[in-house]
Amino acid sequence: MHEVQFYVLLMIVVVGGAGGFAFWANRRGRQDVEALHAEKARRAKEVEAFGATQPREARVEPKTTAATPATMTATTPLVTAIPVTPDVWTKALGGTRASLFGRLQNIFGARPVLEGAELEQLEEVLYTADLGPRTVEALLGKVTEEIRREGGGGFEAVRSALAREMREILLRAQGEMPAEDVRRLNVWAQSPSVLMVVGVNGAGKTTTIGKLSAKLAAEGRRVLVAAGDTFRAAAGEQLKAWTERAQVEIFDPAGVEDPSAVAYQAVEYGKAKGFDVVVIDTAGRLHTQKNLMEELKKMKRVVQKLITEAPHETLLVLDANAGQNALMQAREFHAALQCSGVVLTKLDGSAKGGVAIGLAHEVGLPIKLVGVGEKIGDLRSFETEPFIESII
């Protein structure tokens, strides 16, 4: 009898405890759900408030185009305007600023002026900022002049001297480039204009071509992309995916393995079908390989048989993370192909943005466009003043 009572009592305790726990869990769950709904409502209000201050998306109406052969993939341009926030440079160059400006501050510490030992530290900071040796010498020369003229170099005097010389270096290379975005490219005076994109594998050529094509299409240009990298197995598929995102046409003839033949046929087709711009993708093995440079030179020669002035733009794509390697790549490609400008990619994920100044000073190439994100609209014109203000 006592055992029966014991088990009955035990069952009451267990059931009661489980019920209590269930009640607590249910109540806690309701609280969590209510908190989640409140958080969603708060975020929705923020998004609504932010959206009210942004420009509306612009839509380009579909265009009717002629039928294309089996080797072509045709789509209709559909482009949205992506608002650019004022602090895009600050965000993209945060790593570079920490590497350069932050370390410059650390040199001074509590010292009011820069002296001998600190000048050596400044030299080390500049060398490790991937500016290039000749660029570092030029900057140090200006800082030394400033110290002599002022009778000592305080933090602000040194910072100003560096910023002033960096600005002058960039402006000399950039030249007169008032237009923004793709409008600064030499692809507007003639149809079709030929734009050749070169660079090593991994620098971001395919991504750049996709973003560039989307922007050109948004400006009303009819774009044809030539799959000229016939050496890399996955190149054609990756390029096709990007052209679909950009909603432009791709020229990728079956069975043609010679890059120069692809380039020639693409320009020929572009002329016949009334395209405005033909963008030519290229192979990108190591820049030190002689065969690669000779192949790229050949591609230039064959398209000149169809259009004497082609290519109207030869853009070199460089990864900002490559640092000094980017400088070496620029020298090799520019010597072989006389590049017209640079697209500096992955700037938003790099602490080596100082390479832009080295490119301008040591190679003399203007930086026309920069990649500041992974979205199709994250390609924008390089701007000297915001760049300088964001790194030092």
Side-chain angles (χ1 to χ4, degrees):
M1 183 67 180
H2 290 294
E3 290 180 356
V4 172
Q5 291 176 337
F6 172 78
Y7 283 117
V8 169
L9 180 61
L10 180 62
M11 288 295 291
I12 292 172
V13 170
V14 170
V15 171
F21 176 80
F23 173 80
W24 175 85
N26 186 46
R27 182 180 179 187
R28 180 61 180 271
R30 287 199 305 271
Q31 291 174 341
D32 288 346
V33 169
E34 289 170 359
L36 180 61
H37 285 317
E39 177 64 13
K40 285 184 177 180
R42 184 185 66 80
R43 291 184 180 179
K45 288 182 179 179
E46 290 180 350
V47 170
E48 183 179 0
F50 176 78
T53 64
Q54 303 303 308
R56 294 183 179 274
E57 292 185 342
R59 180 185 178 94
V60 176
E61 292 301 323
K63 297 180 179 179
T64 303
T65 56
T68 56
T71 56
M72 304 286 295
T73 299
T75 52
T76 304
L78 177 63
V79 184
T80 56
I82 299 176
V84 178
T85 54
D87 60 346
V88 63
W89 286 102
T90 304
K91 289 181 179 179
L93 293 165
T96 301
R97 183 177 178 84
S99 175
L100 185 58
F101 182 81
R103 293 176 66 194
L104 180 61
Q105 284 183 313
N106 291 337
I107 291 175
F108 280 86
R111 294 177 179 273
V113 295
L114 203 63
E115 297 177 352
E118 288 77 29
L119 275 172
E120 292 183 4
Q121 293 179 43
L122 174 61
E123 183 177 10
E124 180 183 346
V125 167
L126 295 177
Y127 269 111
T128 55
D130 291 285
L131 299 167
R134 283 184 286 170
T135 309
V136 171
E137 290 177 11
L139 293 173
L140 283 174
K142 289 296 180 181
V143 170
T144 304
E145 287 178 14
E146 185 73 21
I147 291 175
R148 287 174 184 163
R149 184 167 55 251
E150 300 295 330
F155 172 77
E156 185 55 34
V158 172
R159 189 203 67 79
S160 296
L162 288 172
R164 186 163 50 250
E165 182 60 17
M166 288 177 178
R167 185 180 295 106
E168 290 179 4
I169 287 171
L170 287 171
L171 290 175
R172 282 197 297 270
Q174 295 299 104
E176 293 294 328
M177 203 180 295
E180 293 186 2
D181 220 18
V182 291
R183 282 282 174 183
R184 61 178 45 179
L185 301 179
N186 184 30
V187 294
W188 305 94
Q190 179 176 335
S191 292
S193 293
V194 179
L195 196 161
M196 190 171 175
V197 182
V198 301
V200 301
N201 288 339
K205 286 197 310 297
T206 306
T207 303
T208 297
I209 288 172
K211 295 176 180 179
L212 192 58
S213 298
K215 282 186 171 286
L216 288 169
E219 294 284 348
R221 309 297 279 175
R222 190 174 174 217
V223 181
L224 177 66
V225 176
D229 184 359
T230 60
F231 294 102
R232 191 164 57 93
E237 288 302 313
Q238 291 174 356
L239 190 64
K240 182 179 179 182
W242 269 102
T243 55
E244 288 174 352
R245 289 182 65 185
Q247 298 189 351
V248 298
E249 299 182 25
I250 185 171
F251 185 86
D252 189 15
V256 181
E257 297 181 357
D258 182 359
S260 296
V262 174
Y264 184 91
Q265 291 177 26
V267 174
E268 189 175 46
Y269 185 85
K271 288 182 68 177
K273 298 298 181 180
F275 283 88
D276 298 308
V277 184
V278 178
V279 181
I280 302 176
D281 186 21
T282 61
R285 299 180 305 276
L286 290 177
H287 61 283
T288 52
Q289 293 183 355
K290 183 179 178 181
N291 289 344
L292 170 61
M293 293 303 173
E294 292 304 318
E295 184 59 53
L296 295 176
K297 289 179 184 178
K298 181 182 175 183
M299 293 178 77
K300 288 189 72 170
R301 289 196 302 270
V302 299
V303 298
Q304 286 170 351
K305 293 179 179 179
L306 294 168
I307 302 175
T308 307
E309 303 83 10
H312 303 88
E313 282 276 3
T314 303
L315 292 180
L316 172 59
V317 179
L318 295 172
D319 181 352
N321 292 289
Q324 291 294 298
N325 281 335
L327 286 177
M328 291 188 287
Q329 293 166 23
R331 292 190 189 101
E332 294 288 337
F333 277 99
H334 189 42
L337 302 168
Q338 294 77 53
C339 300
S340 56
V342 169
V343 179
L344 196 59
T345 65
K346 309 175 188 179
L347 198 61
D348 56 313
S350 175
K352 300 181 178 182
V355 70
I357 300 165
L359 286 167
H361 187 257
E362 301 191 18
V363 188
L365 277 172
I367 300 170
K368 296 198 171 184
L369 299 166
V370 291
V372 293
E374 297 179 358
K375 296 178 182 177
I376 199 164
D378 290 336
L379 185 71
R380 60 172 295 158
S381 51
F382 179 82
E383 301 173 50
T384 297
E385 200 58 40
F387 178 85
I388 295 297
E389 290 177 358
S390 297
I391 67 171
I392 191 166

